[in-house]
Amino acid sequence: MSGEAGALAGPDGGLRCPWGLSTEDYIAYHDEEWGRPVHGDDALYERLCLEAFQSGLSWITILRRRDGFRAAFADFRIATVAGFTDEDRARLLADPGIIRNRAKIDATLANARVLADWPEGELDSLIWSFAPDPASRQVPKALSDVPAITDESTALSKALKKRGLRFIGPTTAYALMQACGLVNDHLADCVAREAAGS
């Protein structure tokens, strides 16, 4: 997200972050999901995976295939994906309903195997331990005020990699933090900012 744009009026006249206005899919995602707190190991694993698949692509590409991803990866249940076989991998590499990127698919499977050995709730606790104090953050007024990485996202990326997870650099980690409500990067005048909290 870059540029000087502040919140812009949507179809209903409400002001929103400009990136959330380009399609109906984006408006719904922006208004109802992005920036809202996400908890639970499976739910956070899904977001980790989708943010990794998004790397190098537009988020709308992932958003429009999310149902396909959920079907292909057993609703991102860590225990189930950890048991995927070579036949499952071959199925995923041939599945037109997802992004058929070998490195990203392999990372998704490998990460599930790592996470399956963690105690329940540990992924949730680890990720949320990197949420900054909301009082320490400036409320963004324009897209140019929103960073691509932060000290916290860099530290989160390092912590996840140290524990054996793959395909989670600082930029992907920050996108995860934004999407899952660890930070509230809705612009100051955005109608969704208050609902997202902090």
Side-chain angles (χ1 to χ4, degrees), residues 5 21 35 44 46 51 61 63 71 112 121 132-133 145 162 167 176 187:
L21 291 171
L44 287 165
E46 174 181 359
E51 294 295 348
T61 302
L63 194 58
D133 177 358
D145 297 331
K162 186 175 180 182
F167 231 101
L176 174 79
L187 302 184

Side-chain angles (χ1 to χ4, degrees), residues 2-135:
S2 61
E4 295 301 323
L8 299 176
D12 60 359
L15 296 176
R16 289 176 175 82
C17 303
W19 67 264
L21 291 171
S22 59
T23 69
E24 287 184 21
D25 294 335
Y26 261 158
I27 292 171
Y29 175 70
H30 168 273
D31 287 4
E32 298 164 20
E33 291 187 64
W34 193 76
R36 307 283 178 103
V38 173
H39 285 283
D41 291 348
D42 288 346
L44 287 165
Y45 168 66
E46 174 181 359
R47 298 301 183 92
L48 267 173
C49 296
L50 294 179
E51 294 295 348
F53 273 102
Q54 186 270 330
S55 181
L57 303 170
S58 67
W59 178 247
I60 196 68
T61 302
I62 303 304
L63 194 58
R64 288 181 171 160
R65 294 183 186 203
R66 186 162 56 171
D67 288 343
F69 276 107
R70 286 175 171 166
F73 288 100
D75 287 324
F76 292 96
R77 291 186 302 274
I78 293 168
T80 303
V81 179
F84 275 16
T85 63
D86 288 343
E87 288 75 23
D88 289 305
R89 181 176 179 272
R91 170 183 57 79
L92 293 166
L93 288 167
D95 188 339
I98 65 170
I99 305 300
R100 293 173 285 181
N101 178 293
R102 185 178 309 274
K104 293 175 182 180
I105 288 171
D106 287 346
T108 300
L109 301 180
N111 289 347
R113 292 180 191 119
V114 169
L115 292 171
D117 289 333
W118 291 18
E120 186 175 345
E122 187 165 346
L123 178 62
D124 188 307
S125 295
L126 178 64
I127 288 175
W128 276 90
S129 73
F130 289 91
D133 177 358

Side-chain angles (χ1 to χ4, degrees), residues 147-159:
I149 62 171
T150 62
D151 290 344
E152 292 88 0
S153 76
T154 300
L156 172 58
S157 170
K158 286 180 180 174

